[in-house]
């Protein structure tokens, strides 16, 4: 995630450097050439704006999906017991889950977990 943000910032910085770079031009510039320059500048600003908007949208979607509450059922192979916890998606890791109430549950290699979506009200 950090890599995507850094690449986006690098692209923005490169585009701004390119746009702000002074250009050596002939003594008289034609109106047609000035129009092309304005169109290219507008296109670059539009591309940079769209990439920023897309990055912000993806970042918001990832944050929203990570905060979604799901039901996690832990099934023990040694006994027929199963326990259901309410957990945010971002708090599910390989060996441990952290419930909405802040309880940390460590998982063994033999335990099986079942993740089911729940509706958050």
């Amino acid at each position: 995630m950090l890599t995507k943000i850094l690449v986006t910032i690098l692209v923005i910085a490169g585009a701004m450097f390119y746009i702000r770079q002074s250009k050596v031009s002939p003594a008289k510039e034609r109106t047609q050439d000035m129009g092309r320059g304005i169109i290219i500048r507008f296109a670059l600003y539009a591309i940079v704006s769209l990439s920023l908007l897309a990055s912000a949208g993806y970042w918001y979607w990832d944050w929203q999906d990570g905060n979604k509450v799901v039901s996690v059922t832990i099934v023990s192979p040694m006994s027929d017991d199963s326990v259901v916890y309410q957990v945010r998606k971002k708090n599910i890791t390989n060996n441990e889950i952290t419930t909405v109430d802040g309880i940390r549950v460590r998982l063994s290699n033999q335990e099986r977990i079942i993740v089911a979506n729940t509706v958050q009200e």
Side-chain angles (χ1 to χ4, degrees), residues 56-100:
Y58 178 75
W59 192 23
Y60 174 73
W61 174 79
D62 187 48
W63 173 80
Q64 186 179 23
D65 189 51
N67 283 324
K68 190 179 209 182
V69 177
V70 294
S71 292
V72 174
T73 305
I74 300 175
V75 180
S76 175
M78 299 297 181
S79 63
D80 292 332
D81 294 341
S82 63
V83 182
V84 179
Y85 294 103
Q86 299 293 316
V87 180
R88 287 189 171 79
K89 277 179 138 180
K90 67 180 179 181
N91 294 332
I92 300 173
T93 61
N94 291 338
N95 322 8
E96 184 178 84
I97 60 173
T98 305
T99 66
V100 176

Side-chain angles (χ1 to χ4, degrees), residues 28-53:
K28 274 186 132 182
E29 192 172 359
R30 297 183 335 188
T31 307
Q32 186 178 12
D33 294 337
M34 288 176 57
R36 283 190 189 136
I38 291 172
I39 290 173
I40 290 172
R41 185 174 293 137
F42 178 74
L44 285 175
Y45 279 128
I47 289 171
V48 168
S49 298
L50 285 175
S51 68
L52 281 174
L53 185 63

